[in-house]
């Protein structure tokens, strides 16, 4: 079996645009990745839902304050950090395994499939890297990480592993089919072969993952004589090419040098920087020299005293401990006679400036690497340094066993004369071998190019890479980091050199913000390097960049807890922020919705947003977004009123206004996160909060005792669904087979009610697809409603809709539509969305904003499975919908005060086991208590009693985790709410 090194290989002057024949060394236009959106930021809505699941809630109940970013495909934490957690074991490996077993049991990890691959250590941390094998097959890109401080405490972990892979179909694609798929679109192919064993490739789809049995095909190409070795993963069943990346196979042997002396000083004229400056005479250190019959190596000054009497013959080669220069098939050598005493010889007559300069700079970058990574010996061998290649120009590359430089030509100097380029190519070798020594593979191409640039400018401390590399233009350069910053995700292009500028630029700006302290910068780099953040496929750059930032902050930390800040956290945070790399994901805004307001009164909106530690560096503020009726959205920064509390005031509005609003955390890059209600800021937004100004309730349809809006059609002509037709009854809940979370509601919405409209009951709640909407659409339609007597008729209703629950295929592809008509023929969308919410959510709208109110206004509610005119959607989704408590409102009757309720007492606060409620209710009827978590989700319901006076009741809160909550008491026609806390 061949050993494939996953390595970004080529350094390309692709950003100049001065040569029509310039090419991308990686051939990025031929790369293929299963990552569909290179620019993706964390899906805040899905992240919030994953944080609300029981496994994470149980973990943070035991370890408050931990921050998390989830892997959105497997639903597990991709990276979680927080205050140190003690664990047991004699070694980092034992401690990591014990932590996974004891602390993360609720995540149902496939522990029997996890194998500790390597423990990579720095001066401050141990990184325990773990991979997965399923039924004996390697799971590609699988990685669990447990990071410990030197006291053996866990300070971070990540779980990019997969619990439910199952048995995959047997391979049926022939070798010829695999090779044909891998080779598609490539030219100048010099070889292709299936290599290695079958593997499993997890392919993320929306909020889920598909597992493919794949085989690796290696295709070699020689476009313009630039070597290309393409690592390709092809589905062994379907023959589909899933991943293709230009990578290089490393096959060279390594040899250690010996530290001896010689009685000669060897010097040579070299290009110290680039062709803009005159060459300089420098000593040639670490060089192989033979004096008499004895072999020596020159020291750091190019000198050794051999003790051999002269005259004596000597031979010196442009080869030594760290570099062997080759021109064609020859290594330059120098021979002569040494006289007794000191001798000074020059290598100039027997070699070119390119050869000598390349040798000199390889020694420079090797010594720099040793300084930055003092325990790393993976580059302690003589690297073949090929100079003067004639098969191309204006380029250089690293192929896993050598670095290579073309001869001068096509208006380009040989890049062997440019120190940055030599450092960059050698930097690829450092990346490659460091990851291998630590049991990994450097996979991500953008990370590879960015980190190769880092190795270069960490030597030169110059932000301009390869100035003056062209003959005709002294102002030309390849890349520079002191202007035109590249920012994630806007500047992601899929070309690895351009994308690498984002992470390299973050390091450069961090260096500047640290006071131009390169020693501190390289120390942070070295401490974060063992995190192996580049072990992620092309297209996942945002994930890798955020992982780097977390590890850099932890490298800077002095007590193992990011939540209380780090000594240089402001500078590091700003350096990465300038390139769009931030960490605000993981925090929620807590808010109690305001549902009504008197006419023309200012409306005070309050929220709580607890962002702690280094994460505060990424918070620009808390933003309120609101709109009046169907007007444009307006933004307002909320004012901090102390601690984590924020407040904003929406100006008073006239009678009959409907206000929509949501709140979120605005990061320093202008990205909003932690939105409440979740998803309200999405491109296809979830529902916001709705607030009615100056309204009276007129009519109600609650499908129980108030049926004041006429009859309903449970299906209409043209519906074509096969299951999941609208019903009016008591809904049976269904649950996800992945995480047991609810899919179809099991509760109607009316306080004291029993029934609602919903899309079909199955007989088995554990089989969610049994009676969901399938193969078409189903319509719930009202009778005509006479609105002629109303001044400003406005509807509210509550709906439940999901099209992408955990375990459902084709998530987020199907439509929920609510339409209104005033003639039964022309219908206008009130809602038209593929955005779901597995909760009862309120919608409010003024009729006049959509149609002219008349005597024949109708509403219809449509749930669909892959059916919409003009859309070509694939089927198979889990689709469930429900509707309840449709109400008609109109402008308030002047002079009549509405009765109000009061929560007289709520104690103890904070509560541990029991929360006592004393409530004065103005209306008769059943009163229900609802407990909402910080994200506004209903977590507990209990009947308090019958209203019409003072009620006293006790609520059992022992099942709630520690944190803040809202108690909302509701009855038919009113509600009141108050915050409280739970402690553990």
């Amino acid at each position: 079996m061949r050993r494939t090194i996953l390595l970004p290989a080529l350094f390309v002057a692709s950003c100049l645009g001065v040569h029509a024949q310039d090419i991308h060394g990686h051939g990025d236009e031929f790369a293929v990745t299963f990552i569909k959106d290179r620019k993706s930021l964390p899906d805040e809505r899905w992240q919030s839902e994953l944080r609300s699941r029981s496994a994470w809630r149980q973990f943070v109940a035991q370890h408050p304050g931990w921050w998390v970013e989830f892997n959105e495909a497997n639903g597990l934490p991709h990276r979680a950090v927080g205050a140190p957690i003690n664990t047991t074991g004699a070694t980092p490996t034992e401690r990591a395994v014990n932590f996974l077993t004891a602390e993360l049991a609720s995540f149902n990890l496939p522990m029997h499939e996890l194998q500790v691959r390597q423990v990579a250590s720095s001066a401050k941390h141990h990184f325990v890297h773990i991979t997965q094998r399923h039924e004996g097959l390697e799971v590609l890109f699988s990685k669990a990480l447990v990071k410990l401080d030197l006291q053996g405490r866990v300070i971070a972990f990540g779980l990019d592993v997969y619990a439910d892979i199952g048995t995959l179909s047997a391979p049926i694609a022939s070798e010829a089919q695999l090779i044909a798929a891998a080779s598609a679109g490539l030219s100048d192919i010099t070889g292709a072969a299936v290599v290695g064993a079958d593997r499993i490739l997890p392919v993320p789809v929306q909020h889920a993952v598909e597992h493919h049995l794949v085989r690796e095909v290696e295709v070699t190409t020689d476009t313009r004589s630039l070597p290309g070795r393409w690592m390709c993963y092809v589905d062994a069943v379907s023959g589909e090419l899933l991943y293709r990346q230009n990578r290089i196979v490393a096959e060279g042997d390594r040899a250690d040098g010996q530290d001896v002396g010689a009685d000669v000083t060897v010097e040579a004229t070299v290009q110290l920087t680039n062709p803009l400056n005159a060459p300089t005479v420098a000593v040639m250190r670490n060089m192989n020299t033979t004096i008499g019959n004895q072999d020596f190596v020159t020291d750091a000054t190019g000198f050794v005293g051999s003790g051999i009497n002269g005259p004596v013959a000597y031979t010196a080669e442009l080869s030594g401990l760290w570099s062997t220069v080759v021109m064609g098939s020859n290594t330059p050598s120098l021979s002569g006679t040494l006289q007794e005493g000191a001798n000074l010889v020059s290598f100039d007559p027997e070699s070119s400036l390119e050869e000598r300069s390349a040798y000199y700079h390889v020694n420079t970058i090797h010594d720099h690497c040793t300084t930055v990574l003092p325990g790393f010996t993976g580059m302690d061998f003589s690297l073949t340094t090929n100079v003067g290649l004639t098969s191309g120009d204006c380029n250089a590359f690293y192929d896993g066993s050598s670095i290579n430089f073309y001869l001068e030509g096509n208006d380009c100097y040989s890049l062997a004369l440019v120190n940055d380029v030599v450092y960059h190519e050698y930097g690829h070798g450092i990346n490659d071998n460091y990851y291998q020594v630590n049991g990994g593979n450097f996979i991500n191409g953008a990370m590879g190019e960015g980190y190769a640039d880092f190795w270069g400018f960490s030597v030169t401390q110059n932000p301009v890479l390869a100035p003056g590399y062209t003959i005709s233009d002294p102002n030309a350069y390849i890349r520079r980091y002191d202007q035109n910053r590249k920012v994630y995700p806007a500047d992601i292009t899929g070309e690895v050199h351009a994308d690498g500028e984002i992470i390299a630029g973050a390091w450069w700006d961090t260096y500047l913000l640290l006071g131009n302290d390169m020693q501190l910068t390289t120390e942070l780099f070295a401490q974060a390097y063992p995190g192996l953040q580049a072990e992620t496929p092309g297209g996942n750059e945002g994930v890798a960049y955020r992982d780097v930032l977390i590890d850099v902050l932890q490298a800077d930390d002095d007590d193992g807890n990011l939540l209380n800040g780090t000594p240089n956290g402001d500078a590091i945070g700003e350096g990465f922020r300038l390139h769009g790399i931030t960490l605000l994901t993981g925090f929620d805004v807590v808010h109690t919705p305001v549902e009504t307001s008197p006419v023309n009164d200012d409306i005070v909106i309050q929220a709580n947003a607890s962002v702690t530690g280094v994460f505060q560096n990424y918070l620009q503020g808390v933003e309120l977004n609101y709109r009046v009726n169907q007007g444009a959205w307006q933004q307002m920064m909320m004012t901090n009123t102390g601690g984590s509390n924020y407040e904003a005031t929406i100006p008073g509005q006239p009678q009959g206004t409907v206000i929509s609003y949501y709140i979120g955390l605005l990061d320093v890059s202008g990205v909003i996160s932690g939105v409440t209600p979740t998803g309200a800021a999405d491109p296809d937004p979830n529902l916001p909060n709705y607030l009615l100004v100056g309204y009276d309730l007129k009519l109600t349809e609650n499908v129980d005792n108030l049926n004041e809006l006429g009859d309903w059609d449970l299906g209409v002509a043209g519906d074509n669904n096969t299951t999941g037709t609208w019903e009016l009854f008591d809904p049976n809940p269904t649950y996800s087979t992945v995480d047991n979370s609810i899919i179809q509601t099991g509760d109607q919405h009316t306080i004291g009610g029993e029934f609602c409209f919903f899309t079909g009951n199955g007989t088995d709640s554990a089989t969610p697809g049994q009676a969901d909407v399938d193969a078409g659409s189903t319509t719930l339609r009202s009778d005509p409603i006479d609105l002629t007597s109303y001044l400003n008729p406005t509807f509210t209703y509550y709906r439940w809709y999901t099209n992408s629950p955990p375990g459902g295929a084709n998530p987020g592809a199907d439509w929920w539509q609510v339409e209104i008509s005033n003639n039964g023929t022309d219908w206008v969308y009130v809602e038209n969305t593929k955005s779901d919410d597995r909760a009862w959510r309120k919608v409010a709208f003024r009729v006049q904003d959509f149609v002219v109110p008349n005597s024949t206004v109708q509403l219809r509610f449509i749930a669909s499975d892959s059916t919409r005119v003009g859309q070509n959607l694939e089927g198979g989704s889990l689709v469930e919908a429900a509707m309840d408590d449709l109400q008609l409102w109109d402008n308030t009757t002047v002079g009549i005060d509405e009765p109000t309720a009061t929560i007289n007492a709520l104690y103890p606060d904070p509560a541990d086991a029991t929360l006592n409620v004393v409530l004065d209710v103005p209306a008769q009827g059943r009163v229900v208590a609802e407990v909402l978590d910080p994200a506004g989700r209903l977590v507990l319901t209990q009947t308090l009693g019958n209203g019409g006076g003072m009620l006293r009741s006790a609520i059992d809160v022992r099942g709630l985790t520690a944190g803040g909550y809202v108690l909302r008491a509701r009855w038919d026609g009113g509600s009141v709410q108050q915050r409280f806390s739970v402690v553990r």
Side-chain angles (χ1 to χ4, degrees):
M1 182 187 303
R2 300 188 201 176
R3 183 159 167 260
T4 300
I5 303 302
L6 307 178
L7 174 72
L10 303 180
F11 176 104
V12 184
S14 60
C15 61
L16 291 169
V18 296
H19 302 300
Q21 64 269 41
D22 278 351
I23 64 168
H24 295 308
H26 279 266
D28 295 316
E29 64 271 29
F30 302 116
V32 175
T33 180
F34 52 86
I35 306 299
K36 302 304 181 186
D37 184 3
R38 293 178 179 270
K39 297 176 179 285
S40 64
L41 293 167
D43 182 338
E44 292 296 335
R45 184 176 170 191
W46 188 237
Q47 293 280 336
S48 178
E49 176 164 332
L50 293 172
R51 288 194 298 271
S52 72
R53 290 186 179 178
S54 60
W56 180 251
R57 289 170 62 85
Q58 290 176 35
F59 178 81
V60 294
Q62 296 297 318
H63 308 290
W66 269 61
W67 173 93
V68 65
E69 179 181 318
F70 280 91
N71 178 322
E72 294 175 3
N74 69 3
L76 299 175
H78 163 73
R79 186 64 73 95
V81 298
I85 299 172
N86 290 315
T87 186
T88 60
T91 65
T93 295
E94 290 181 4
R95 288 177 176 270
V97 172
N98 290 340
F99 171 78
L100 294 176
T101 303
E103 297 287 351
L104 305 183
S106 57
F107 287 104
N108 298 317
L109 302 178
M111 293 299 299
H112 62 290
E113 296 184 349
L114 304 185
Q115 302 174 357
V116 174
R117 181 184 68 192
Q118 188 80 16
V119 178
S121 298
S122 68
K124 295 177 72 171
H125 302 126
H126 299 297
F127 297 77
V128 182
H129 294 286
I130 300 167
T131 55
Q132 182 178 5
R133 297 188 73 86
H134 175 73
E135 296 183 351
L137 301 181
E138 176 188 358
V139 181
L140 291 166
F141 307 118
S142 64
K143 179 180 179 181
L145 168 69
V146 179
K147 186 174 180 180
L148 307 109
D149 62 16
L150 296 187
Q151 299 177 53
R153 302 176 300 175
V154 175
I155 61 171
F157 68 88
L159 304 173
D160 296 325
V161 295
Y162 305 89
D164 299 307
I165 296 177
T167 300
L168 304 182
S169 300
I172 59 175
S174 68
E175 183 170 313
Q177 289 174 313
L178 298 173
I179 290 175
S183 304
L186 298 178
S187 59
D188 299 306
I189 295 173
T190 58
V194 178
V195 298
D198 290 347
R199 299 170 184 170
I200 297 171
L201 177 63
V203 176
V205 294
Q206 184 178 4
H207 305 163
V209 63
E210 297 174 348
H211 298 287
H212 294 253
L213 186 70
V214 297
R215 286 183 172 166
E216 181 183 342
V217 180
E218 181 183 283
V219 181
T220 57
T221 59
D222 194 16
T223 304
R224 285 196 67 211
S225 299
L226 282 173
R229 289 185 179 143
W230 295 88
M231 178 197 71
C232 311
Y233 291 129
V234 183
D235 192 302
V237 180
S238 69
E240 178 187 1
L241 176 62
L242 297 173
Y243 194 73
R244 182 165 66 191
Q245 193 168 10
N246 195 353
R247 292 297 182 254
I248 303 297
V249 175
E251 300 170 339
D253 294 330
R254 300 177 182 176
D256 292 328
Q258 52 182 332
D259 185 11
V260 296
D263 61 350
V264 61
T265 297
V266 184
E267 65 181 18
T269 303
V270 300
Q271 187 59 263
L272 283 180
T273 55
N274 56 64
L276 290 178
N277 301 303
T280 303
V281 175
V283 297
M284 305 301 280
R285 58 193 185 276
N286 307 317
M287 178 177 286
N288 294 331
T289 305
T290 301
I291 301 175
N293 294 319
Q294 296 186 36
D295 294 330
F296 303 93
V297 177
T298 60
D299 67 8
T301 66
F303 169 83
V304 206
S306 69
I308 299 175
N309 294 329
V312 61
Y314 79 94
T315 300
E317 290 188 329
L318 208 55
S319 174
L321 296 181
W322 317 132
S323 175
T324 296
V325 174
V326 178
M327 171 81 83
S329 59
N330 300 314
T331 296
S333 63
L334 175 69
S335 299
T337 300
L338 300 178
Q339 301 300 319
E340 185 71 21
N343 293 268
L344 179 66
V345 299
S346 172
F347 224 108
D348 289 4
E350 305 300 330
S351 59
S352 67
L353 181 61
E354 291 84 353
E355 292 170 309
R356 301 189 300 269
S357 299
Y359 177 87
Y360 179 87
H361 291 306
V362 169
N363 279 269
T364 298
I365 183 61
H366 174 273
D367 292 349
H368 177 68
C369 172
T370 300
T371 301
V372 175
L373 304 171
F376 172 57
T377 60
M379 294 302 292
D380 289 352
F381 64 97
S382 190
L383 179 67
T384 299
T385 307
N386 291 312
V387 176
L389 300 181
T390 60
S391 53
D393 50 61
C394 290
N395 218 331
F397 61 92
Y398 170 73
D399 67 2
S401 60
S402 65
I403 55 177
N404 304 268
F405 304 89
Y406 290 112
L407 197 64
E408 177 182 306
N410 197 22
D411 196 36
C412 284
Y413 293 106
S414 168
L415 297 185
L417 297 175
V418 182
N419 60 349
D420 301 306
V421 177
V422 180
Y423 303 154
H424 176 104
E425 301 310 333
Y426 195 91
H428 280 307
I430 300 172
N431 293 337
D432 170 25
N433 287 282
Y434 186 88
Y435 271 55
Q436 288 187 66
V437 165
N438 286 288
N441 289 308
F442 204 109
I443 297 171
N444 190 273
M447 282 287 294
E449 297 303 329
Y451 269 30
D453 275 3
F454 174 87
W455 283 112
F457 64 59
S458 66
V459 178
T460 65
Q461 299 182 37
N462 186 338
V464 183
L465 181 68
Y469 81 100
T470 66
I471 297 171
S472 64
D473 184 3
N475 297 315
Y477 57 87
I478 291 177
R479 283 186 290 280
R480 64 187 304 164
Y481 292 100
D482 59 345
Q483 61 185 32
N484 299 324
R485 292 185 179 97
K486 294 288 182 68
V487 176
Y488 184 85
D491 293 322
I492 285 285
T493 66
E495 200 286 311
V496 293
H497 299 87
D499 295 347
E501 291 183 59
I502 295 173
I503 188 63
W507 276 109
W508 177 259
D509 281 314
T510 297
Y511 156 69
L512 296 180
L513 290 161
L514 290 172
N516 291 34
D517 188 338
M518 188 56 75
Q519 180 176 344
L520 175 57
T521 304
T522 55
E523 287 175 359
L524 293 171
F525 179 89
Q527 296 290 339
Y529 206 31
L532 308 186
Q533 305 90 355
E535 283 194 314
T536 192
N540 247 8
E541 285 72 31
V543 174
Y545 298 162
R546 290 190 295 275
D547 287 352
V548 171
L549 176 54
I550 291 170
D551 284 331
V552 175
L553 289 168
Q554 288 189 313
D556 184 57
D557 192 32
D558 54 6
D559 66 354
N561 186 2
L562 288 184
L563 301 181
N564 60 13
T566 76
N568 299 289
D570 290 349
I572 296 166
E574 177 66 4
F576 279 72
R577 194 279 304 172
L578 290 170
H579 297 268
I581 306 170
T582 65
L583 296 174
L584 201 54
T585 298
F587 296 95
D588 291 309
V589 174
V590 180
H591 167 67
T592 301
V594 180
E595 297 186 351
T596 61
S597 172
V599 175
N600 295 324
D601 277 10
D602 286 347
I603 304 163
V604 178
I605 306 295
Q606 296 177 325
N608 183 279
S610 181
V611 179
T612 57
V614 297
F615 303 101
Q616 292 175 329
N617 294 322
Y618 307 106
L619 179 64
Q620 183 181 152
V622 179
E623 184 180 77
L624 169 66
N625 289 260
Y626 75 95
R627 69 175 180 177
V628 177
N629 301 321
Q630 295 297 307
W633 285 97
Q634 303 177 59
Q635 291 74 41
M636 178 187 301
M637 296 304 296
M638 302 184 75
T639 302
N640 183 273
T641 57
S644 57
N645 296 313
Y646 292 82
E647 186 174 286
T649 301
I650 299 175
Q653 299 295 321
Q655 187 178 50
T657 300
V658 174
I659 297 174
S660 312
Y661 76 93
Y662 62 88
I663 305 169
L665 305 174
L666 190 68
D667 80 3
V668 288
S669 297
V671 176
I672 194 166
S673 65
V675 172
T676 180
T678 57
D682 289 354
D684 180 13
N686 190 19
L687 297 173
N689 295 313
Y690 291 95
L691 189 160
L692 303 183
V693 179
Y695 276 96
D696 274 339
L697 178 61
K698 301 300 181 181
L699 300 174
T700 295
E701 171 61 83
N702 63 17
V703 202
D704 288 299
N705 62 330
L706 293 174
N707 310 115
E708 300 170 341
L709 288 168
D711 292 329
W712 292 81
D713 295 316
L714 303 177
V716 300
D719 283 358
N720 59 349
N721 61 303
T722 56
T723 62
T725 299
W726 284 101
E727 297 182 17
L728 192 169
F729 198 59
D730 182 12
N732 294 337
T734 59
Y735 299 94
S736 167
T737 57
V738 174
D739 64 354
N740 203 40
S741 60
I742 196 163
I743 296 178
Q744 175 170 287
T745 180
D747 296 304
Q748 52 78 57
H749 184 265
T750 310
I751 298 299
E754 185 177 2
F755 303 130
C756 68
F757 295 110
F758 62 93
T759 52
N761 267 341
T763 59
D764 181 4
S765 63
T767 307
Q770 187 183 71
D772 73 313
V773 181
D774 279 333
S777 62
T778 180
T779 304
L780 171 67
R781 185 177 63 189
S782 75
D783 273 355
I785 303 170
D786 186 356
L787 300 181
T788 55
S789 64
Y790 298 97
L791 179 65
N792 178 26
T794 295
F795 284 110
T796 62
Y797 58 88
Y798 286 84
R799 57 90 152 168
W800 177 294
Y801 175 67
T802 182
N803 62 10
S804 56
N810 192 36
D814 295 302
W815 296 84
W816 166 254
Q817 297 160 317
V818 179
E819 297 175 314
I820 188 170
S821 174
N822 64 2
N823 59 18
T825 301
D826 301 308
W827 294 88
V828 179
Y829 286 123
V830 174
E831 287 193 77
N832 185 32
T833 182
K834 292 186 284 186
S835 180
D836 72 340
D837 197 331
R838 288 178 288 155
W840 282 108
R841 292 297 311 281
K842 180 181 179 180
V843 179
F845 69 95
R846 303 191 314 171
V847 174
Q848 65 176 305
D849 292 331
F850 297 90
V851 297
V852 175
N854 62 12
S855 61
T856 56
V857 170
Q858 287 180 277
L859 299 173
R860 64 185 185 187
F861 302 82
I862 305 169
S864 303
D865 179 39
S866 301
T867 299
R868 184 176 183 242
V869 176
Q871 300 295 321
N872 180 23
L873 302 175
E874 297 297 325
S877 303
L878 276 174
V879 176
E880 296 283 8
M883 195 277 287
D884 202 0
D885 287 336
L886 174 69
Q887 295 183 318
L888 176 63
W889 303 74
D890 199 9
N891 290 356
T892 302
T893 302
V894 178
I896 299 177
D897 294 328
E898 296 184 4
T900 59
T902 304
I903 295 180
N904 299 75
L906 195 64
Y907 65 93
D909 185 10
D912 181 13
T914 300
L915 180 71
N916 297 294
V917 183
V918 181
L919 176 67
D920 189 4
V921 182
Q924 295 291 334
R926 182 179 174 222
V927 180
V928 173
E930 299 175 334
V931 176
L932 308 178
D933 71 4
R937 301 179 183 86
L938 184 64
V939 295
L940 191 155
T941 302
Q942 179 177 316
T943 299
L944 296 179
N946 290 315
M950 194 72 68
L951 294 178
R952 300 177 184 270
S953 187
I955 300 174
D956 186 350
V957 296
R958 287 175 295 181
L960 302 181
T961 58
Y965 294 88
V966 171
L967 173 72
R968 181 168 65 196
R970 292 204 300 127
W971 59 95
D972 191 14
S975 68
V976 66
Q977 54 199 19
Q978 185 170 321
R979 292 177 180 161
F980 72 97
S981 299
V982 172
V983 294
R984 293 284 174 258

